[in-house]
Amino acid sequence: MKYKKKFNYNLKTLVPAILLATATAFSGCNKDKQKEKNEETFGYITPKDTVVLYFRINLQTLVSTENGTIDISDLLKYYISRPETNMIYAEPVDWWGGISTNIIHEIRTNYLEPVINASPKIRGRGDFDFKPGRTTEEDSLWFIQNGWTINKER
């Protein structure tokens, strides 16, 4: 005895589902081939973000003070010149609490402002851990406008 069971397929839902599955599969393959083609012919350059860490005792990663003049460091010049560098973030490390109001202002005007003004690629990031009340309102606003935070963890 043979059993024959008939299945009724609704072609209105089956055909679009099959077409969608094949289109998805082929579009994924096409993207991989396009990426390989770009790598072979032009070289594949991915924009990237760079973080430059600096300490309160040593700002040499940001600035160089040769011949009594303050200029941005060779490291920052290198990152600025690279076409694949998207953004450069200057991030403070360590405890900044033992600094007076005058020193905070000097660090901002003599070191950090020239760095930020050197290129639109450079931006601040991270938290300055100053003692509460040590920064002036002008300095605080400048730090915040350029991407840093002050005493964030308190």
Side-chain angles (χ1 to χ4, degrees):
M1 184 180 231
K2 291 185 181 179
Y3 291 103
K4 291 185 179 180
K5 185 165 184 169
K6 293 184 180 181
F7 291 101
N8 293 330
Y9 294 105
N10 188 354
L11 292 179
K12 289 182 181 179
T13 58
L14 184 63
V15 172
I18 292 172
L19 290 176
L20 181 64
T22 54
T24 304
F26 283 119
S27 68
C29 295
N30 191 19
K31 288 179 185 176
D32 291 339
K33 289 179 184 177
Q34 184 66 32
K35 182 178 176 183
E36 289 174 7
K37 182 179 177 183
N38 286 344
E39 288 177 357
E40 291 171 3
T41 55
F42 307 110
Y44 194 71
I45 298 176
T46 310
K48 61 181 178 179
D49 295 339
T50 303
V51 177
V52 177
L53 302 174
Y54 58 95
F55 298 88
R56 72 182 182 128
I57 298 170
N58 186 3
L59 297 171
Q60 299 301 320
T61 56
L62 296 179
V63 294
S64 65
T65 55
E66 294 177 10
N67 302 327
T69 60
I70 297 174
D71 192 20
I72 64 171
S73 68
D74 292 335
L75 179 68
L76 286 179
K77 288 178 184 176
Y78 170 76
Y79 285 133
I80 290 170
S81 68
R82 306 277 304 185
E84 68 269 7
T85 302
N86 188 27
M87 288 297 292
I88 304 165
Y89 293 104
E91 186 171 334
V93 180
D94 207 9
W95 183 65
W96 293 72
I99 300 176
S100 68
T101 304
N102 294 335
I103 300 296
I104 291 171
H105 183 72
E106 286 181 24
I107 288 172
R108 176 186 79 103
T109 56
N110 294 337
Y111 299 102
L112 297 178
E113 276 186 19
V115 168
I116 293 294
N117 294 335
S119 172
K121 289 183 176 183
I122 301 175
R123 187 113 172 97
R125 184 169 93 173
D127 183 48
F128 282 105
D129 189 19
F130 298 128
K131 281 191 176 179
R134 289 277 174 100
T135 58
T136 63
E137 185 178 342
E138 177 188 354
D139 289 338
S140 295
L141 290 173
W142 186 87
F143 284 122
I144 291 168
Q145 288 172 351
N146 289 294
W148 287 284
T149 58
I150 298 176
N151 300 337
K152 181 180 180 183
E153 297 176 6
R154 293 181 191 240

